[in-house]
């Protein structure tokens, strides 16, 4: 379905971003990966799906590096047809204790980077009259949780950016939507499980149950594969008039 399209997924060396990149590759899209850590393993996983894959290590907190990545993708594949803004970090502390440097980093990586990639991807998408922008927000783009001020502010901002981008392009073939996962067991969440286990003297299993039980009625993690299939739907012809939604996949979290 996505043969001859190119998808750029930020923060795709692990977790949700890699899951979405693999789902789009299974539909035939060529992939530009981004993120820190091991890039060779993820590149090999994507290449094994029979598509072309490239990697750019831009730091999403740095607009000049984001610009270099977008230029790299356009030069390598012609243009970016599908942009998935996924890179994100977390920090947990009360507002009055929140390190200023962590606030700035979360806003830059989780929110401003999506503005930069979007503004740089839109001209070519509009010229082609086809494009899909998928912002990986969070259930925290819809509701708050204590001790996550920067993250919740950034994710609400991403949902706002999604709506405005969708509206500005509503009469074109370019759509923009947000995906709002609840808990997904990735390194980002395992750190929060570990912190709970250490603070309360619990086993990994007990801390996981507590984490899910506090928020997620299904008591189940959403998986990167499930989120990848939602991204595939948004890229499909049936998704052509889905515009500006914030679609939660959260085991009932936001229904409470
Ligand atoms: P993860 O830690 O597994 O992956 C994050 C990715 O972002 C990695 O590839 C990492 O290298 C990359 N990254 C981090 N800082 C970067 C930077 N400055 N520049 C470039 N890349 C950078 O985390 P994840 O759980 O897969 O999170 C992916 C997205 O999903 C994030 O935006 C997160 O907020 C969102 N999300 C996660 C959950 C969850 O439960 N895991 C829930 C809702 C939303």
């Amino acid at each position: 379905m996505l043969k001859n399209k190119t998808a750029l997924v930020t923060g795709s060396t692990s977790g949700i971003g890699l899951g979405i990149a693999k789902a789009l590759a299974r539909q035939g899209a060529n992939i530009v990966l981004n993120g820190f850590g091991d890039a060779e393993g993820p590149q090999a996983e994507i290449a094994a799906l029979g598509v072309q894959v490239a990697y750019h290590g831009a730091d999403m907190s740095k607009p000049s590096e984001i610009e270099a990545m977008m230029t790299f993708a356009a030069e390598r594949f012609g243009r970016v047809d599908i942009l998935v803004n996924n890179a994100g970090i977390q920090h947990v502390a009360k507002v009055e204790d929140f390190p200023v440097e962590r606030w700035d980093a979360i806003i830059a990586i989780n929110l401003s980077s999506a503005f930069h990639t979007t503004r740089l991807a839109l001209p070519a998408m509009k010229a082609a009259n086809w494009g899909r922008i998928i912002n990986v927000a969070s259930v925290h783009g819809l509701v708050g949780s204590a001790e996550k001020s920067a993250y919740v502010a950034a994710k609400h901002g991403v949902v706002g950016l999604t709506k405005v981008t969708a509206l500005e392009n509503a009469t074109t073939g370019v759509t923009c939507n947000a995906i709002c996962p609840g808990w997904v067991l990735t390194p980002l969440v395992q750190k929060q499980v570990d912190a709970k286990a250490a603070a309360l003297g619990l086993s990994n299993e007990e801390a996981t149950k507590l984490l899910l039980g506090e928020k997620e009625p299904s008591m189940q993690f959403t998986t990167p594969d499930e989120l990848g299939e939602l991204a595939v739907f948004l890229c499909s012809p049936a998704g052509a008039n889905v515009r500006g939604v914030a679609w939660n996949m959260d085991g009932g979290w936001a229904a409470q």
Side-chain angles (χ1 to χ4, degrees):
M1 188 177 75
L2 299 175
K3 212 166 175 347
N4 299 322
K5 301 270 194 249
T6 297
L8 184 151
V9 186
T10 70
S12 46
T13 46
S14 82
I16 295 169
L18 183 56
I20 291 177
K22 285 202 274 193
L24 296 174
R26 282 195 292 269
Q27 297 297 323
N30 296 321
I31 303 291
V32 182
L33 293 172
N34 159 261
F36 298 152
D38 170 40
E40 280 180 17
Q43 281 189 88
E45 283 183 58
I46 300 282
L49 297 169
V51 299
Q52 292 182 57
V53 57
Y55 166 77
H56 194 284
D59 180 338
M60 288 298 113
S61 69
K62 302 205 165 89
S64 61
E65 293 191 21
I66 296 172
E67 284 176 20
M69 177 184 73
M70 298 305 286
T71 303
F72 164 83
E75 283 174 359
R76 177 77 166 72
F77 290 111
R79 72 168 174 266
V80 172
D81 304 286
I82 299 164
L83 169 65
V84 183
N85 289 308
N86 167 79
I89 58 168
Q90 175 64 285
H91 186 83
V92 180
K94 287 192 191 304
V95 173
E96 63 270 34
D97 301 327
F98 215 90
V100 171
E101 169 276 323
R102 285 292 84 195
W103 172 277
D104 288 343
I106 289 175
I107 298 298
I109 295 164
N110 295 20
L111 174 58
S112 301
S113 72
F115 159 68
H116 292 298
T117 52
T118 299
R119 72 179 170 80
L120 295 164
L122 272 173
M125 288 182 178
K126 285 164 95 162
N129 200 32
W130 197 92
R132 294 287 183 269
I133 300 174
I134 299 172
N135 293 326
V136 180
S138 165
V139 69
H140 284 120
L142 306 170
V143 299
S145 288
E147 303 195 357
K148 295 188 174 174
S149 55
Y151 188 86
V152 170
K155 295 300 188 181
H156 274 68
V158 166
V159 170
L161 174 66
T162 301
K163 290 176 182 172
V164 173
T165 305
L167 289 175
E168 288 182 4
N169 295 284
T171 59
T172 77
V174 181
T175 72
C176 179
N177 294 288
I179 293 179
C180 297
W183 291 124
V184 185
L185 192 56
T186 65
L188 182 142
V189 163
Q190 187 60 49
K191 276 186 213 153
Q192 295 174 62
V193 174
D194 294 345
K196 225 177 238 313
L200 303 173
L202 301 174
S203 68
N204 180 63
E205 200 186 327
E206 290 165 335
T208 302
K209 234 181 174 169
L210 190 64
L211 182 106
L212 285 169
E214 282 168 356
K215 300 282 185 183
E216 191 139 335
S218 67
M219 292 299 286
Q220 276 176 31
F221 290 107
T222 301
T223 67
D225 278 350
E226 289 165 350
L227 294 162
E229 292 307 319
L230 179 53
V232 167
F233 167 72
L234 292 172
C235 293
S236 74
N241 208 26
V242 181
R243 295 176 187 267
V245 307
W247 191 326
N248 38 322
M249 211 185 224
D250 63 358
W253 183 326
Q256 297 169 96

